[in-house]
Amino acid sequence: SKLPGYAVEVSRCGGAHGQHLGFLYNTNVVELLSFNEDLSISEPGKSGTCDSGSRPLAIALFKVKRTGQKFYAMTAHLKAGGDVGSISKRAKQYEIIKDTINELREKTGVKDFSFAGDMNTTEYLNRGADYRNFSKVVSELGMIDLA
């Protein structure tokens, strides 16, 4: 209500800590075509639940009103921590993100994606294993790391 011309879409699930993800978007510029949550990222290899593990991947399909261009926007809040278990879980989460994007590209024909959120890349500055895992997925997707 404080931002006329904008809308918000927020995830139903919030992971173990009840932290929800979503999108705030300008309804004069884009139209939200779909929104869903992917729980597979919450606890890789297990059946994720709404209230366990990391937050689910929030996925929105938008259409630019002026041009008709469709694009996917995704946001996540990946596992925090610099310990081996946390880095290992994030590596699996990166792969799930990559697989999800590739699957959507193949199924829908939409080629344009943006991805943002808290990647918790604890080794980003010193270029450690976590950074290399993240960078590999970004490269394999043909995306640009704006960090």
Side-chain angles (χ1 to χ4, degrees):
S1 66
K2 304 273 186 208
L3 293 169
Y6 286 81
V8 66
E9 190 70 37
V10 177
S11 63
R12 182 179 61 83
C13 299
H17 302 289
Q19 299 169 326
H20 302 269
L21 300 172
F23 300 94
L24 173 69
Y25 60 96
N26 186 328
T27 58
N28 296 312
V29 177
V30 296
E31 174 185 356
L32 177 66
L33 300 177
S34 66
F35 177 83
N36 67 336
E37 303 171 61
D38 184 342
L39 288 169
S40 68
I41 201 168
S42 300
E43 296 184 69
K46 301 177 184 174
S47 296
T49 66
C50 201
D51 301 314
S52 67
S54 303
R55 271 75 51 210
L57 183 63
I59 306 168
L61 176 61
F62 290 101
K63 181 173 79 173
V64 178
K65 288 184 173 183
R66 187 176 50 86
T67 65
Q69 175 194 12
K70 292 179 182 178
F71 68 95
Y72 278 98
M74 298 179 162
T75 188
H77 189 160
L78 302 185
K79 173 70 176 141
D83 59 278
V84 173
S86 296
I87 291 170
S88 176
K89 181 176 180 178
R90 276 195 303 279
K92 292 173 187 170
Q93 290 175 315
Y94 299 147
E95 288 297 318
I96 290 169
I97 291 166
K98 180 181 80 173
D99 292 346
T100 300
I101 289 173
N102 284 332
E103 183 178 312
L104 286 169
R105 282 177 172 164
E106 189 176 309
K107 283 183 177 178
T108 68
V110 174
K111 301 295 181 205
D112 297 316
F113 283 77
S114 70
F115 187 84
D118 189 344
M119 303 298 110
N120 276 309
T121 48
T122 56
E123 300 178 318
Y124 198 89
L125 294 178
N126 68 4
R127 306 294 199 244
D130 191 41
Y131 168 80
R132 290 189 301 274
N133 291 337
F134 175 75
S135 295
K136 178 178 174 267
V137 167
V138 169
S139 176
E140 289 173 350
L141 287 168
M143 297 180 94
I144 299 168
D145 176 3
L146 296 176

mmCIF file of all heavy atoms in Angstrom, residues 39-75:
data_model
loop_
_atom_site.group_PDB
_atom_site.id
_atom_site.type_symbol
_atom_site.label_atom_id
_atom_site.label_comp_id
_atom_site.label_asym_id
_atom_site.label_seq_id
_atom_site.Cartn_x
_atom_site.Cartn_y
_atom_site.Cartn_z
ATOM 1 N N LEU A 39 10.964 -26.895 -3.257
ATOM 2 C CA LEU A 39 11.457 -27.381 -1.972
ATOM 3 C C LEU A 39 12.680 -28.295 -2.097
ATOM 4 O O LEU A 39 13.320 -28.595 -1.098
ATOM 5 C CB LEU A 39 10.353 -28.134 -1.234
ATOM 6 C CG LEU A 39 9.233 -27.267 -0.668
ATOM 7 C CD1 LEU A 39 8.068 -28.126 -0.206
ATOM 8 C CD2 LEU A 39 9.740 -26.403 0.467
ATOM 9 N N SER A 40 13.026 -28.712 -3.307
ATOM 10 C CA SER A 40 14.159 -29.637 -3.462
ATOM 11 C C SER A 40 15.470 -29.019 -2.989
ATOM 12 O O SER A 40 16.409 -29.736 -2.643
ATOM 13 C CB SER A 40 14.282 -30.104 -4.912
ATOM 14 O OG SER A 40 14.675 -29.031 -5.752
ATOM 15 N N ILE A 41 15.531 -27.716 -2.943
ATOM 16 C CA ILE A 41 16.745 -27.027 -2.515
ATOM 17 C C ILE A 41 16.865 -26.959 -0.987
ATOM 18 O O ILE A 41 17.936 -26.757 -0.446
ATOM 19 C CB ILE A 41 16.796 -25.615 -3.145
ATOM 20 C CG1 ILE A 41 18.215 -25.077 -3.155
ATOM 21 C CG2 ILE A 41 15.854 -24.657 -2.439
ATOM 22 C CD1 ILE A 41 18.391 -23.846 -3.993
ATOM 23 N N SER A 42 15.750 -27.143 -0.302
ATOM 24 C CA SER A 42 15.727 -26.998 1.156
ATOM 25 C C SER A 42 16.624 -28.015 1.861
ATOM 26 O O SER A 42 17.399 -27.662 2.740
ATOM 27 C CB SER A 42 14.302 -27.123 1.688
ATOM 28 O OG SER A 42 13.486 -26.116 1.136
ATOM 29 N N GLU A 43 16.457 -29.268 1.488
ATOM 30 C CA GLU A 43 17.266 -30.347 2.052
ATOM 31 C C GLU A 43 17.617 -31.295 0.905
ATOM 32 O O GLU A 43 16.921 -32.282 0.691
ATOM 33 C CB GLU A 43 16.500 -31.072 3.155
ATOM 34 C CG GLU A 43 16.194 -30.178 4.353
ATOM 35 C CD GLU A 43 15.527 -30.932 5.488
ATOM 36 O OE1 GLU A 43 16.212 -31.772 6.094
ATOM 37 O OE2 GLU A 43 14.347 -30.666 5.742
ATOM 38 N N PRO A 44 18.663 -30.950 0.143
ATOM 39 C CA PRO A 44 19.000 -31.742 -1.050
ATOM 40 C C PRO A 44 19.062 -33.240 -0.778
ATOM 41 O O PRO A 44 19.634 -33.684 0.216
ATOM 42 C CB PRO A 44 20.385 -31.200 -1.435
ATOM 43 C CG PRO A 44 20.378 -29.801 -0.921
ATOM 44 C CD PRO A 44 19.600 -29.874 0.377
ATOM 45 N N GLY A 45 18.411 -33.994 -1.656
ATOM 46 C CA GLY A 45 18.400 -35.451 -1.524
ATOM 47 C C GLY A 45 17.294 -35.980 -0.643
ATOM 48 O O GLY A 45 17.116 -37.180 -0.522
ATOM 49 N N LYS A 46 16.550 -35.100 -0.005
ATOM 50 C CA LYS A 46 15.441 -35.500 0.856
ATOM 51 C C LYS A 46 14.171 -34.804 0.385
ATOM 52 O O LYS A 46 14.215 -33.853 -0.368
ATOM 53 C CB LYS A 46 15.712 -35.087 2.312
ATOM 54 C CG LYS A 46 16.959 -35.671 2.920
ATOM 55 C CD LYS A 46 17.154 -35.141 4.322
ATOM 56 C CE LYS A 46 18.465 -35.631 4.918
ATOM 57 N NZ LYS A 46 18.723 -35.005 6.216
ATOM 58 N N SER A 47 13.051 -35.284 0.873
ATOM 59 C CA SER A 47 11.787 -34.596 0.594
ATOM 60 C C SER A 47 11.715 -33.375 1.500
ATOM 61 O O SER A 47 11.538 -33.510 2.710
ATOM 62 C CB SER A 47 10.589 -35.509 0.868
ATOM 63 O OG SER A 47 10.619 -36.603 0.000
ATOM 64 N N GLY A 48 11.902 -32.215 0.920
ATOM 65 C CA GLY A 48 11.849 -30.993 1.703
ATOM 66 C C GLY A 48 10.442 -30.724 2.213
ATOM 67 O O GLY A 48 9.457 -31.139 1.611
ATOM 68 N N THR A 49 10.379 -30.078 3.347
ATOM 69 C CA THR A 49 9.087 -29.651 3.872
ATOM 70 C C THR A 49 9.093 -28.136 4.006
ATOM 71 O O THR A 49 10.144 -27.501 3.996
ATOM 72 C CB THR A 49 8.777 -30.290 5.243
ATOM 73 O OG1 THR A 49 9.708 -29.799 6.203
ATOM 74 C CG2 THR A 49 8.845 -31.809 5.177
ATOM 75 N N CYS A 50 7.935 -27.596 4.173
ATOM 76 C CA CYS A 50 7.754 -26.156 4.215
ATOM 77 C C CYS A 50 8.516 -25.503 5.372
ATOM 78 O O CYS A 50 8.982 -24.383 5.251
ATOM 79 C CB CYS A 50 6.260 -25.865 4.328
ATOM 80 S SG CYS A 50 5.776 -24.232 3.802
ATOM 81 N N ASP A 51 8.654 -26.227 6.469
ATOM 82 C CA ASP A 51 9.220 -25.637 7.684
ATOM 83 C C ASP A 51 10.520 -26.288 8.136
ATOM 84 O O ASP A 51 10.838 -26.290 9.316
ATOM 85 C CB ASP A 51 8.189 -25.720 8.818
ATOM 86 C CG ASP A 51 6.906 -24.993 8.448
ATOM 87 O OD1 ASP A 51 6.998 -23.867 7.946
ATOM 88 O OD2 ASP A 51 5.819 -25.568 8.642
ATOM 89 N N SER A 52 11.286 -26.840 7.190
ATOM 90 C CA SER A 52 12.561 -27.458 7.559
ATOM 91 C C SER A 52 13.631 -27.041 6.570
ATOM 92 O O SER A 52 13.342 -26.648 5.442
ATOM 93 C CB SER A 52 12.433 -28.978 7.591
ATOM 94 O OG SER A 52 12.204 -29.478 6.290
ATOM 95 N N GLY A 53 14.871 -27.130 7.008
ATOM 96 C CA GLY A 53 15.997 -26.840 6.126
ATOM 97 C C GLY A 53 16.053 -25.383 5.695
ATOM 98 O O GLY A 53 15.524 -24.486 6.351
ATOM 99 N N SER A 54 16.722 -25.176 4.573
ATOM 100 C CA SER A 54 16.853 -23.834 3.997
ATOM 101 C C SER A 54 15.538 -23.409 3.360
ATOM 102 O O SER A 54 14.638 -24.222 3.137
ATOM 103 C CB SER A 54 17.949 -23.836 2.928
ATOM 104 O OG SER A 54 19.176 -24.269 3.460
ATOM 105 N N ARG A 55 15.456 -22.139 3.044
ATOM 106 C CA ARG A 55 14.270 -21.642 2.353
ATOM 107 C C ARG A 55 14.162 -22.288 0.973
ATOM 108 O O ARG A 55 15.180 -22.576 0.354
ATOM 109 C CB ARG A 55 14.360 -20.115 2.151
ATOM 110 C CG ARG A 55 13.824 -19.265 3.239
ATOM 111 C CD ARG A 55 14.644 -19.136 4.485
ATOM 112 N NE ARG A 55 16.029 -18.787 4.341
ATOM 113 C CZ ARG A 55 16.965 -19.182 5.208
ATOM 114 N NH1 ARG A 55 16.663 -19.932 6.241
ATOM 115 N NH2 ARG A 55 18.210 -18.843 5.061
ATOM 116 N N PRO A 56 12.940 -22.478 0.474
ATOM 117 C CA PRO A 56 12.801 -23.021 -0.875
ATOM 118 C C PRO A 56 13.214 -21.980 -1.919
ATOM 119 O O PRO A 56 13.276 -20.786 -1.625
ATOM 120 C CB PRO A 56 11.302 -23.333 -0.987
ATOM 121 C CG PRO A 56 10.661 -22.424 -0.012
ATOM 122 C CD PRO A 56 11.644 -22.230 1.100
ATOM 123 N N LEU A 57 13.497 -22.462 -3.092
ATOM 124 C CA LEU A 57 13.807 -21.592 -4.219
ATOM 125 C C LEU A 57 12.507 -20.934 -4.673
ATOM 126 O O LEU A 57 11.518 -21.620 -4.915
ATOM 127 C CB LEU A 57 14.403 -22.438 -5.347
ATOM 128 C CG LEU A 57 14.870 -21.753 -6.612
ATOM 129 C CD1 LEU A 57 16.013 -20.788 -6.305
ATOM 130 C CD2 LEU A 57 15.330 -22.803 -7.615
ATOM 131 N N ALA A 58 12.485 -19.611 -4.742
ATOM 132 C CA ALA A 58 11.312 -18.885 -5.230
ATOM 133 C C ALA A 58 11.527 -18.596 -6.715
ATOM 134 O O ALA A 58 12.570 -18.052 -7.101
ATOM 135 C CB ALA A 58 11.114 -17.590 -4.449
ATOM 136 N N ILE A 59 10.546 -18.972 -7.525
ATOM 137 C CA ILE A 59 10.671 -18.862 -8.978
ATOM 138 C C ILE A 59 9.464 -18.108 -9.537
ATOM 139 O O ILE A 59 8.322 -18.511 -9.325
ATOM 140 C CB ILE A 59 10.725 -20.255 -9.634
ATOM 141 C CG1 ILE A 59 11.829 -21.104 -9.006
ATOM 142 C CG2 ILE A 59 10.907 -20.133 -11.142
ATOM 143 C CD1 ILE A 59 11.778 -22.570 -9.392
ATOM 144 N N ALA A 60 9.733 -17.027 -10.253
ATOM 145 C CA ALA A 60 8.660 -16.246 -10.870
ATOM 146 C C ALA A 60 8.916 -16.122 -12.368
ATOM 147 O O ALA A 60 10.060 -15.958 -12.801
ATOM 148 C CB ALA A 60 8.594 -14.849 -10.248
ATOM 149 N N LEU A 61 7.848 -16.222 -13.121
ATOM 150 C CA LEU A 61 7.919 -15.969 -14.558
ATOM 151 C C LEU A 61 7.243 -14.625 -14.799
ATOM 152 O O LEU A 61 6.079 -14.431 -14.417
ATOM 153 C CB LEU A 61 7.220 -17.072 -15.353
ATOM 154 C CG LEU A 61 7.134 -16.863 -16.870
ATOM 155 C CD1 LEU A 61 8.524 -16.777 -17.499
ATOM 156 C CD2 LEU A 61 6.314 -17.990 -17.508
ATOM 157 N N PHE A 62 7.977 -13.712 -15.384
ATOM 158 C CA PHE A 62 7.469 -12.370 -15.676
ATOM 159 C C PHE A 62 7.416 -12.136 -17.180
ATOM 160 O O PHE A 62 8.146 -12.781 -17.948
ATOM 161 C CB PHE A 62 8.382 -11.293 -15.075
ATOM 162 C CG PHE A 62 8.354 -11.220 -13.583
ATOM 163 C CD1 PHE A 62 9.365 -11.794 -12.825
ATOM 164 C CD2 PHE A 62 7.343 -10.540 -12.920
ATOM 165 C CE1 PHE A 62 9.367 -11.716 -11.442
ATOM 166 C CE2 PHE A 62 7.329 -10.451 -11.536
ATOM 167 C CZ PHE A 62 8.343 -11.038 -10.796
ATOM 168 N N LYS A 63 6.584 -11.176 -17.571
ATOM 169 C CA LYS A 63 6.552 -10.721 -18.957
ATOM 170 C C LYS A 63 6.672 -9.203 -18.955
ATOM 171 O O LYS A 63 5.941 -8.516 -18.219
ATOM 172 C CB LYS A 63 5.255 -11.142 -19.647
ATOM 173 C CG LYS A 63 5.189 -10.693 -21.116
ATOM 174 C CD LYS A 63 3.995 -11.259 -21.841
ATOM 175 C CE LYS A 63 2.765 -10.471 -21.494
ATOM 176 N NZ LYS A 63 1.589 -10.857 -22.276
ATOM 177 N N VAL A 64 7.607 -8.703 -19.753
ATOM 178 C CA VAL A 64 7.765 -7.257 -19.906
ATOM 179 C C VAL A 64 6.583 -6.767 -20.742
ATOM 180 O O VAL A 64 6.373 -7.223 -21.865
ATOM 181 C CB VAL A 64 9.108 -6.905 -20.581
ATOM 182 C CG1 VAL A 64 9.242 -5.393 -20.772
ATOM 183 C CG2 VAL A 64 10.276 -7.462 -19.775
ATOM 184 N N LYS A 65 5.808 -5.851 -20.199
ATOM 185 C CA LYS A 65 4.578 -5.413 -20.873
ATOM 186 C C LYS A 65 4.857 -4.734 -22.211
ATOM 187 O O LYS A 65 4.140 -4.954 -23.178
ATOM 188 C CB LYS A 65 3.785 -4.485 -19.953
ATOM 189 C CG LYS A 65 3.148 -5.225 -18.794
ATOM 190 C CD LYS A 65 2.283 -4.314 -17.952
ATOM 191 C CE LYS A 65 1.538 -5.124 -16.900
ATOM 192 N NZ LYS A 65 0.639 -4.298 -16.096
ATOM 193 N N ARG A 66 5.889 -3.917 -22.285
ATOM 194 C CA ARG A 66 6.168 -3.140 -23.493
ATOM 195 C C ARG A 66 6.612 -4.021 -24.658
ATOM 196 O O ARG A 66 6.238 -3.787 -25.798
ATOM 197 C CB ARG A 66 7.225 -2.079 -23.183
ATOM 198 C CG ARG A 66 7.486 -1.092 -24.304
ATOM 199 C CD ARG A 66 8.467 0.011 -23.911
ATOM 200 N NE ARG A 66 9.684 -0.482 -23.303
ATOM 201 C CZ ARG A 66 10.766 -0.886 -23.972
ATOM 202 N NH1 ARG A 66 10.773 -0.882 -25.280
ATOM 203 N NH2 ARG A 66 11.830 -1.318 -23.317
ATOM 204 N N THR A 67 7.386 -5.075 -24.364
ATOM 205 C CA THR A 67 7.978 -5.884 -25.433
ATOM 206 C C THR A 67 7.420 -7.296 -25.540
ATOM 207 O O THR A 67 7.621 -7.961 -26.554
ATOM 208 C CB THR A 67 9.505 -6.009 -25.230
ATOM 209 O OG1 THR A 67 9.741 -6.744 -24.012
ATOM 210 C CG2 THR A 67 10.169 -4.644 -25.170
ATOM 211 N N GLY A 68 6.781 -7.771 -24.471
ATOM 212 C CA GLY A 68 6.294 -9.146 -24.455
ATOM 213 C C GLY A 68 7.362 -10.161 -24.076
ATOM 214 O O GLY A 68 7.086 -11.361 -24.018
ATOM 215 N N GLN A 69 8.589 -9.699 -23.836
ATOM 216 C CA GLN A 69 9.678 -10.597 -23.454
ATOM 217 C C GLN A 69 9.366 -11.274 -22.124
ATOM 218 O O GLN A 69 8.975 -10.630 -21.163
ATOM 219 C CB GLN A 69 10.986 -9.826 -23.321
ATOM 220 C CG GLN A 69 12.131 -10.670 -22.815
ATOM 221 C CD GLN A 69 13.324 -9.842 -22.362
ATOM 222 O OE1 GLN A 69 13.241 -8.637 -22.219
ATOM 223 N NE2 GLN A 69 14.428 -10.514 -22.134
ATOM 224 N N LYS A 70 9.569 -12.584 -22.092
ATOM 225 C CA LYS A 70 9.383 -13.343 -20.854
ATOM 226 C C LYS A 70 10.748 -13.637 -20.239
ATOM 227 O O LYS A 70 11.724 -13.867 -20.962
ATOM 228 C CB LYS A 70 8.651 -14.660 -21.127
ATOM 229 C CG LYS A 70 7.217 -14.464 -21.557
ATOM 230 C CD LYS A 70 6.563 -15.797 -21.819
ATOM 231 C CE LYS A 70 5.132 -15.618 -22.305
ATOM 232 N NZ LYS A 70 4.509 -16.906 -22.617
ATOM 233 N N PHE A 71 10.798 -13.627 -18.928
ATOM 234 C CA PHE A 71 12.018 -13.994 -18.222
ATOM 235 C C PHE A 71 11.667 -14.577 -16.865
ATOM 236 O O PHE A 71 10.638 -14.263 -16.286
ATOM 237 C CB PHE A 71 12.968 -12.796 -18.060
ATOM 238 C CG PHE A 71 12.461 -11.718 -17.127
ATOM 239 C CD1 PHE A 71 12.841 -11.708 -15.786
ATOM 240 C CD2 PHE A 71 11.621 -10.724 -17.590
ATOM 241 C CE1 PHE A 71 12.381 -10.715 -14.931
ATOM 242 C CE2 PHE A 71 11.157 -9.736 -16.740
ATOM 243 C CZ PHE A 71 11.533 -9.727 -15.407
ATOM 244 N N TYR A 72 12.543 -15.440 -16.407
ATOM 245 C CA TYR A 72 12.403 -16.010 -15.074
ATOM 246 C C TYR A 72 13.273 -15.230 -14.106
ATOM 247 O O TYR A 72 14.407 -14.862 -14.427
ATOM 248 C CB TYR A 72 12.844 -17.480 -15.040
ATOM 249 C CG TYR A 72 11.789 -18.434 -15.518
ATOM 250 C CD1 TYR A 72 11.786 -18.914 -16.817
ATOM 251 C CD2 TYR A 72 10.774 -18.859 -14.653
ATOM 252 C CE1 TYR A 72 10.815 -19.800 -17.250
ATOM 253 C CE2 TYR A 72 9.801 -19.747 -15.079
ATOM 254 C CZ TYR A 72 9.828 -20.208 -16.372
ATOM 255 O OH TYR A 72 8.864 -21.078 -16.794
ATOM 256 N N ALA A 73 12.746 -15.016 -12.931
ATOM 257 C CA ALA A 73 13.516 -14.455 -11.822
ATOM 258 C C ALA A 73 13.475 -15.487 -10.711
ATOM 259 O O ALA A 73 12.437 -16.098 -10.457
ATOM 260 C CB ALA A 73 12.922 -13.134 -11.364
ATOM 261 N N MET A 74 14.616 -15.677 -10.090
ATOM 262 C CA MET A 74 14.711 -16.640 -8.991
ATOM 263 C C MET A 74 15.421 -15.983 -7.827
ATOM 264 O O MET A 74 16.300 -15.152 -8.015
ATOM 265 C CB MET A 74 15.506 -17.870 -9.419
ATOM 266 C CG MET A 74 14.893 -18.631 -10.542
ATOM 267 S SD MET A 74 15.961 -20.028 -10.930
ATOM 268 C CE MET A 74 14.801 -21.015 -11.838
ATOM 269 N N THR A 75 15.024 -16.401 -6.644
ATOM 270 C CA THR A 75 15.725 -15.948 -5.460
ATOM 271 C C THR A 75 15.841 -17.094 -4.474
ATOM 272 O O THR A 75 14.983 -17.973 -4.433
ATOM 273 C CB THR A 75 15.051 -14.705 -4.830
ATOM 274 O OG1 THR A 75 15.881 -14.190 -3.794
ATOM 275 C CG2 THR A 75 13.682 -15.011 -4.299
#
